[in-house]
């Protein structure tokens, strides 16, 4: 189970922090990260970090957002700076798990949290 927190309303140029915690003992974690979905648009990757600590950022997030992960607590945090109106969306925590006998990774999703950036 993924429990997300953070989000809210912020003015353009401001900052927000999103946190997500995965409960229970989880084996085979491939990555944890954040996706977002704006009205009328598809869900897209914002940032994720692999079990080895390697981060990936969407071009729109590069240089403004920072993702970090606590391996002991199975939490992932997204620090968002210099927020823009275009960052307004519902943000979803994602956990990708490699399960034995199954190709690829299985994706688990947290409840969405709204981020609204006023211009």
């Amino acid at each position: 189970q993924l429990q997300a927190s953070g989000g809210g309303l912020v003015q353009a140029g401001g900052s927000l922090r999103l946190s997500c915690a995965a409960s229970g003992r989880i084996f085979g974690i491939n990555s944890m990260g954040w996706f977002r979905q704006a009205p009328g648009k598809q869900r897209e990757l914002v940032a994720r970090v692999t079990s080895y600590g390697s981060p990936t950022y969407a071009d729109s997030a590069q240089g403004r957002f920072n993702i970090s992960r606590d391996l002991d607590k199975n939490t992932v945090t997204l620090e968002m700076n210099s927020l823009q109106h275009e960052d307004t969306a519902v943000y979803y925590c994602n956990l990708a798990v490699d399960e034995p006998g199954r190709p690829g990774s299985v994706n688990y999703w947290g409840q969405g949290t709204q981020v609204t950036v006023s211009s």
Side-chain angles (χ1 to χ4, degrees):
Q1 183 177 5
L2 298 174
Q3 184 65 45
S5 61
L9 173 64
V10 66
Q11 289 186 335
S15 300
L16 283 175
R17 174 188 291 181
L18 303 181
S19 295
C20 178
S23 60
R25 289 180 64 88
I26 305 171
F27 299 94
I29 294 179
N30 181 293
S31 66
M32 292 186 74
W34 290 91
F35 287 66
R36 69 186 182 188
Q37 188 166 17
K41 295 186 177 181
Q42 290 188 330
R43 189 173 296 187
E44 62 177 7
L45 171 70
V46 177
R48 64 182 163 202
V49 56
T50 69
S51 57
Y52 298 101
S54 176
T56 299
Y57 295 93
D59 290 344
S60 59
Q62 189 75 44
R64 299 188 298 129
F65 295 1
N66 182 64
I67 190 167
S68 60
R69 181 184 162 188
D70 186 321
L71 294 174
D72 291 334
K73 297 180 179 179
N74 275 341
T75 59
V76 62
T77 299
L78 183 68
E79 299 276 358
M80 302 185 292
N81 302 304
S82 302
L83 283 162
Q84 305 165 359
H85 179 67
E86 293 73 26
D87 296 314
T88 296
V90 177
Y91 284 68
Y92 295 91
C93 178
N94 170 263
L95 170 67
V97 178
D98 294 331
E99 298 185 352
R102 299 185 65 170
S105 298
V106 177
N107 287 298
Y108 297 90
W109 299 96
Q111 84 279 13
T113 184
Q114 178 70 44
V115 171
T116 302
V117 184
S118 61
S119 56

